Amino acid sequence: MNTPIRRLAVVIFVMFTALLMASTWIQFVQADDLRERADNRRTLIDTYSRDRGAILVDGTAVARSEPTNDELRWLRVYDSPNRYAHITGYYSFIYGAGAGLERTTNSLLAGTDDSLFYQRLADVLTGRPATGTNLELTIDPAVQQAAVDALGDRRGAAVALDPRTGAILAMVSRPAYDPNALSSHNLTAVEQAYEQLAADPERPLVNRAIGGDLYPPGSVFKLVTAAAALESGDFEPDTELEGPLTYTLPGTSTDLPNFQGAACDPEGRPTLAVSIQVSCNTSFAWLAGELGADALREQAEDFGFGQALEVPLPVTPSTYPAELDEPQLALTGIGQHDVRVTPLQVAMMAAGIANDGVVMTPYLIETLRGADLEVVDQTSPRTLSRAVSQSTAQELTEMMTMVVQRGSGQLAQVPGVEVAGKTGTAEYGAQGGAHAWFTGFAPADDPQIAVAVIVESATDNWTGETGGVVAAPVARAMLQAGVDR
Amino acid sequence: MRVRSGRTIELLLILLAVGIVALAYANVNLAAVGRLPEHAWWHVAGFGGLALTLHLVLRWRARYADPLMLPIATLLNGLGLVMIHRIDLVSAPGGTSGVADRQLIWTGLSVVIAAAVLILVRDHRVLRRYTYIAMAAAFLLLLLPMVPGLGVEEYGARLWIRVGPFSFQPGEVAKIGLAIFFAGYLVSTRDALSLVGRRVLGLQLPRGRDLGPILVAWLLSMLILVLQRDLGASLLYFGLFVAMLYVATERTSWIVIGLSLFLGGALLAWQLFTHVQSRVTLWLDPFAAGQSDQVAKGLMGLAHGGIFGTGLGEGYPYLTYFANSDYIIGSFGEELGLVGLFAILLLYALLVERGLRTAIGAREGFGKLLAVGLSFTVALQIFVIVGGITRVIPLTGLTTPFLSAGGSSLLANWIIVALLLRISDHARRPVSERRQNESRQNESRQTRTTEQEVGR
């Protein structure tokens, strides 16, 4: 019987070889394909439970990972959700790395970014568990807090930049939401919270400062028109413009009035400086016609219009319309018709003027830090464009200081500091609803901070809230915090 | 001349096995909950004590038994306990859901029964006397789950009996009875089955009336498949019978006949039963929509482990169904990787090889056949369950010997090892001692045994 036993042994040998080959096939050859399957819960848990990098503001974590005992191992915690929700975004097991830096810099925070290859290799060799990169933000907590407090319950957004570098000092969007509700490990509660947020007509998930529907800029766009006028060489601050009580749009019988029907000056011929100071509509509508659409568009693009920036949060490009007839051109001169902007773009306009005409590329991340907080990478400021000449910038600054000293922006005054600014009241829709704008910088002679604020109208009906009344005080709070830092 | 018994090597290997298990136990707990388990020393001491007890029994009653089998069984049993404990830690965070505790109790009981088998069955040849009793007992065990009030149906198969809080799968033990019966029956009838018959196409075909037993075995397997819906066991029993028949008769024709019968049966079952059809579908495409994702989850677990594994306690084996029983090999594959899986499969291969070596060394037909049968069931069972998980064949629910949670399986495999140890003691015993030993035995029985040995 020994021969068949030996043969049976061969059969068993073949059986075991088949098992060894099959497991090699699965665990070695097929492994990557299986791991990358969308329905692979293990891979999902793995990604969502690694010690994720923190997001730091002035050394304090505003988003961090806390170890837990449950399956997901790490819980994402946001310590000041009201202040930083739109910057951090949320990190949810169900909805993924959603919005904000959690989404945009997911691979850095997760520690899987290609740029971290050598660090990961070192981790594997030294047996250190892989960890994500920490992000230190450019945000100044005082400026951010000032914007949050000043905006209060109003819908809107506020952005502050360091005009010299482009560093974003504040970025606030209202209403906010609590990212903790979406990062919770109670998945049913997460689903409920998300559905509620997604269905909210106030759209709290949208970051209005950079990514929402674009806003009409209204009178803050007059800075672009004025810049184009000065750059053309045909106009000086004291050049008299045609600024009648009402301006009949070219080729139509439509009359464009000034704000509340007021005259810009007694003779109907205000200078460029006065036109800015009192935010004269008729003179700027006339001026747009004199300059032409191409000049205005080029000037707008020099300030950053049309550029898809990544700060690294993606910024919706602001637009100056492509095809215009004469009456439309006149309206764009005062920021109406189809001119659309983000608050960040408006802040870049003020920052460009403040920085002697040079617009710096805005950025939100100061440094990348490793697990032990040593600096891995540092952002160096970059020039985006030269928007206007140094002299034009100087002239615009002087005009803007008059706006705050004697014009429509007096509520933006900061004691002991010279503030330059421009108000805006941007009408939208047919019902006469309007958004309130303010943009400016301080100190006017040595700018340290540039801001843009929009307060959305609470109702679709005009409530008399102009940029000078509603938005200027918010900007004032931010400028105050910015120059005190 | 003094022959080495191998007992000292066995002792060292047992200590090594217990050491590995203790380290794995600590490792799992530290990785999963960050601290050592409560009563860890008592658990390890208790487990090691069981292995040493068996070792002492061998020194006392089976000095020449194979020195590798007990350490291998100890290591596998211990690793199984560790993995079951690891799954426990997840199902009841901070505590234990108690499956591992139950498994440890079953380990104790199984080792005691294995020791009893070694002590009571001083010569495996006495089992031949119980050929037909073994058959009756096996049938009775197989039928037990069908008894109303006693048998319970779980996951679509009627394989368990439940008395109070205890559930038991009698089929696991029945295969030992079947192996004893086949060995006894085939030793007596193999001449008739092998020598008589016509030659057709180079195959020695048996006479029609000699086909009876294999047809009965085939019908029995089909009956189990239909009544208990247990594909795995049906395949196991029939495969066991065909392999033993082949070894007993040395006629390849039996394998051809057996395989044809099996393939015919399988085809019939595939046509008749939806649960067989869905197994085949899952085998061909584990990610088929609308089907169970059990195979898919197991594959993703293995892939997650990759070559070196996630490390004990650091994977997600519990995401696969039956992670501590049917799919425990998948759990090991995930946390110990391809390397760990190879190690475990090689341990099994080594155990089976020691069993086959015992069969070759056995000096009479009954012991040879019994050793072959017992070794082959272990090999076939591993092939069927691991092959199901790794998609070599369609998945059927079977326990993985020594590793899977489940008392009946553990008990059955420890008895198998005890019987193999007993046969190997007989096979490896030096001739001088054997004569001495047998001269003490009953005169008539000795004569009978010698006649049989001369037979072939």
Side-chain angles (χ1 to χ4, degrees):
Chain A
M1 283 191 277
N2 286 349
T3 315
I5 292 176
R6 284 179 213 283
R7 284 197 195 128
L8 197 64
V10 173
V11 171
I12 293 171
F13 175 78
V14 170
M15 277 164 32
F16 272 83
T17 308
L19 296 182
L20 296 178
M21 280 164 60
S23 48
T24 306
W25 180 256
I26 295 165
Q27 297 196 273
F28 180 62
V29 183
Q30 270 193 322
D32 279 333
D33 289 342
L34 286 167
R35 279 189 217 120
E36 279 158 26
R37 287 186 63 90
D39 55 353
N40 193 330
R41 206 170 135 85
R42 287 175 167 88
T43 307
L44 204 63
I45 295 178
D46 236 19
T47 338
Y48 283 73
S49 61
R50 203 170 292 143
D51 183 6
R52 195 172 165 85
I55 301 177
L56 306 155
V57 169
D58 206 17
T60 308
V62 297
R64 60 192 168 87
S65 292
E66 212 170 62
T68 63
N69 287 327
D70 59 33
E71 187 184 69
L72 297 182
R73 294 189 191 175
W74 296 95
L75 175 68
R76 198 66 168 164
V77 177
Y78 303 88
D79 288 323
S80 311
N82 188 45
R83 256 183 287 169
Y84 298 106
H86 291 99
I87 295 174
T88 57
Y90 55 87
Y91 186 69
S92 158
F93 182 67
I94 303 179
Y95 302 103
L101 290 169
E102 295 280 24
R103 182 197 192 93
T104 315
T105 52
N106 183 28
S107 57
L108 278 173
L109 290 167
T112 58
D113 198 87
D114 286 343
S115 67
L116 304 171
F117 177 79
Y118 291 103
Q119 191 199 323
R120 277 215 312 276
L121 197 66
D123 286 346
V124 168
L125 294 178
T126 56
R128 234 187 344 187
T131 49
T133 309
N134 299 300
L135 312 179
E136 172 78 45
L137 303 187
T138 55
I139 297 291
D140 182 310
V143 180
Q144 182 85 0
Q145 183 68 54
V148 167
D149 292 346
L151 270 170
D153 293 337
R154 304 295 302 258
R155 270 182 298 155
V159 178
L161 297 172
D162 185 331
R164 297 160 297 187
T165 59
I168 297 173
L169 302 176
M171 181 186 282
V172 176
S173 176
R174 299 284 103 170
Y177 62 97
D178 185 356
N180 290 305
L182 300 174
S183 68
S184 155
H185 290 181
N186 178 349
L187 301 184
T188 346
V190 168
E191 264 175 336
Q192 275 174 0
Y194 184 82
E195 276 161 26
Q196 208 176 335
L197 285 171
D200 192 329
E202 303 247 296
R203 301 199 300 156
L205 288 172
V206 172
N207 183 353
R208 290 166 154 83
I210 53 165
D213 298 339
L214 299 172
Y215 293 105
S219 299
V220 292
F221 192 75
K222 288 172 184 165
L223 291 175
V224 176
T225 315
L230 293 169
E231 288 286 284
S232 72
D234 300 336
F235 297 88
E236 299 289 330
D238 53 3
T239 309
E240 290 187 350
L241 311 176
E242 276 190 41
L245 204 58
T246 60
Y247 175 70
T248 309
L249 296 178
T252 70
S253 55
T254 311
D255 281 346
L256 175 72
N258 278 319
F259 179 65
Q260 291 185 332
C264 299
D265 92 312
E267 280 90 43
R269 292 192 65 78
T271 62
L272 182 57
V274 168
S275 295
I276 285 277
Q277 185 186 321
V278 301
S279 203
C280 183
N281 281 346
T282 55
S283 60
F284 271 100
W286 172 83
L287 186 54
E290 295 296 303
L291 295 168
D294 289 344
L296 285 178
R297 184 179 302 112
E298 276 166 27
Q299 185 59 66
E301 283 171 0
D302 283 345
F303 276 112
F305 277 62
Q307 287 218 32
L309 295 172
E310 285 171 355
V311 298
L313 304 181
V315 182
T316 315
S318 301
T319 58
Y320 183 85
E323 301 279 324
L324 290 172
D325 58 19
E326 280 192 41
Q328 288 170 345
L329 169 61
L331 285 172
T332 62
I334 59 169
Q336 294 291 345
H337 185 54
D338 280 347
V339 184
R340 291 291 180 269
V341 296
T342 57
L344 176 68
Q345 175 59 63
V346 174
M348 286 161 67
M349 281 155 49
I353 295 167
N355 193 37
D356 290 333
V358 176
V359 181
M360 302 301 289
T361 307
Y363 63 96
L364 196 49
I365 297 174
E366 188 76 55
T367 51
L368 300 183
R369 290 165 188 271
D372 36 7
L373 293 184
E374 89 283 14
V375 174
V376 179
D377 198 5
Q378 181 143 22
T379 310
S380 37
R382 281 183 302 128
T383 303
L384 182 72
S385 63
R386 171 164 277 283
V388 291
S389 68
Q390 197 171 350
S391 62
T392 299
Q394 193 55 44
E395 286 161 353
L396 286 169
T397 304
E398 278 163 27
M399 291 189 257
M400 288 169 75
T401 54
M402 295 309 285
V403 171
V404 177
Q405 272 177 28
R406 298 189 221 150
S408 55
Q410 293 179 34
L411 287 177
Q413 288 172 5
V414 176
V417 181
E418 199 176 24
V419 176
K422 180 73 196 80
T423 60
T425 305
E427 293 172 27
Y428 64 90
Q431 307 298 316
H435 300 313
W437 278 101
F438 188 91
T439 184
F441 53 88
D445 54 349
D446 175 27
Q448 293 168 20
I449 174 171
V451 302
V453 175
I454 183 170
V455 178
E456 291 183 22
S457 176
T459 64
D460 280 341
N461 291 311
W462 174 242
T463 50
E465 293 170 317
T466 63
V469 174
V470 187
V474 178
R476 190 195 66 81
M478 295 168 74
L479 293 170
Q480 170 99 59
V483 294
D484 283 353
R485 76 197 162 97
Chain B
M1 188 187 79
R2 183 163 163 73
V3 175
R4 296 169 72 96
S5 70
R7 292 276 76 78
T8 310
I9 288 171
E10 180 181 74
L11 179 61
L12 291 174
L13 288 175
I14 286 174
L15 291 176
L16 180 68
V18 173
I20 292 172
V21 169
L23 286 176
Y25 187 37
N27 184 341
V28 148
N29 238 74
L30 286 173
V33 291
R35 59 184 150 74
L36 286 175
E38 258 181 272
H39 313 305
W41 287 113
W42 285 109
H43 289 160
V44 172
F47 176 73
L50 286 171
L52 289 177
T53 305
L54 258 188
H55 169 72
L56 290 177
V57 170
L58 288 180
R59 277 190 187 269
W60 174 39
R61 279 294 162 91
R63 279 194 64 212
Y64 296 97
D66 188 288
L68 282 183
M69 289 182 188
L70 181 54
I72 292 173
T74 305
L75 183 53
L76 289 169
N77 191 153
L79 288 177
L81 279 164
V82 168
M83 185 52 79
I84 293 163
H85 170 67
R86 189 253 173 283
I87 308 290
D88 273 3
L89 286 175
V90 178
S91 37
T96 169
S97 59
V99 185
D101 293 344
R102 223 159 42 232
Q103 185 83 347
L104 188 56
I105 292 170
W106 272 110
T107 304
L109 192 66
S110 305
V111 167
V112 167
I113 292 178
V117 168
L118 280 167
I119 293 167
L120 296 175
V121 185
R122 298 186 65 167
D123 188 327
H124 61 273
R125 283 169 297 188
V126 299
L127 293 174
R128 199 183 158 183
R129 286 189 227 153
Y130 305 109
T131 298
Y132 290 93
I133 291 176
M135 178 194 72
F139 274 103
L140 197 69
L141 284 168
L142 283 176
L143 289 174
L144 269 183
M146 309 310 294
V147 178
L150 194 62
V152 284
E153 186 170 321
E154 277 178 59
Y155 315 113
R158 202 176 171 92
L159 309 174
W160 287 268
I161 57 167
R162 181 164 288 161
V163 183
F166 301 102
S167 67
F168 195 79
Q169 199 178 338
E172 290 280 357
V173 185
K175 68 190 174 194
I176 301 171
L178 286 177
I180 294 172
F181 162 62
F182 291 155
Y185 168 78
L186 290 171
V187 156
S188 320
T189 52
R190 63 199 174 105
D191 289 346
L193 291 170
S194 63
L195 297 178
V196 197
R198 289 182 299 144
R199 281 188 83 83
V200 177
L201 294 169
L203 277 181
Q204 183 94 32
L205 286 188
R207 284 183 306 187
R209 61 174 169 183
D210 295 330
L211 274 172
I214 194 168
L215 286 176
V216 169
W218 178 75
L219 278 173
L220 180 74
S221 322
M222 292 306 285
L223 216 61
I224 291 165
L225 178 70
V226 176
L227 293 178
Q228 305 188 334
R229 308 183 117 217
D230 188 356
L231 291 164
S234 155
L235 175 57
L236 194 65
Y237 302 144
F238 190 66
L240 171 65
F241 180 68
V242 172
M244 290 179 76
L245 190 57
Y246 167 67
V247 170
T249 60
E250 299 187 33
R251 286 285 169 269
T252 321
S253 58
W254 285 115
I255 294 205
V256 176
I257 293 168
L259 274 179
S260 334
L261 279 172
F262 173 74
L263 288 177
L267 211 63
L268 201 68
W270 177 69
Q271 292 229 307
L272 290 178
F273 307 115
T274 52
H275 69 280
V276 179
Q277 282 163 16
S278 64
R279 296 286 173 115
V280 173
T281 313
L282 273 184
W283 173 49
L284 298 174
D285 180 9
F287 299 100
Q291 297 278 335
S292 153
D293 58 349
Q294 184 180 9
V295 179
K297 282 189 164 167
L299 288 177
M300 292 193 274
L302 288 174
H304 191 71
I307 296 180
F308 298 107
T310 60
L312 275 175
E314 295 183 51
Y316 314 105
Y318 44 86
L319 292 180
T320 309
Y321 311 109
F322 308 110
N324 64 6
S325 53
D326 289 13
Y327 254 83
I328 199 160
I329 275 290
S331 304
F332 276 108
E334 179 170 354
E335 298 211 321
L336 295 181
L338 185 61
V339 176
L341 204 52
F342 265 46
I344 288 173
L345 287 174
L346 290 179
L347 279 178
Y348 279 126
L350 197 56
L351 182 65
V352 171
E353 190 264 348
R354 300 313 289 187
L356 293 176
R357 176 157 299 208
T358 297
I360 286 177
R363 295 179 174 103
E364 32 63 60
F366 178 75
K368 262 186 199 304
L369 275 174
L370 187 55
V372 162
L374 294 175
S375 311
F376 189 71
T377 63
V378 174
L380 189 59
Q381 186 152 353
I382 288 154
F383 178 73
V384 170
I385 183 61
V386 182
I389 291 169
T390 55
R391 282 185 70 211
V392 177
I393 55 168
L395 179 69
T396 55
L398 271 186
T399 56
T400 315
F402 293 108
L403 293 179
S404 290
S408 25
S409 169
L410 204 55
L411 177 64
N413 286 297
W414 272 111
I415 294 177
I416 288 176
V417 164
L419 289 176
L420 286 175
L421 283 169
R422 169 51 70 220
I423 302 170
S424 72
D425 172 52
H426 197 259
R428 297 173 80 246
R429 186 174 299 168
V431 180
S432 54
E433 272 197 52
R434 202 169 130 249
R435 289 254 165 76
Q436 208 178 36
N437 198 28
E438 294 197 345
S439 64
R440 279 191 255 119
Q441 294 192 357
N442 174 305
E443 181 73 29
S444 63
R445 250 199 68 213
Q446 191 189 357
T447 321
R448 204 166 42 183
T449 314
T450 318
E451 277 166 7
Q452 267 162 22
E453 281 168 19
V454 174
R456 178 166 289 270

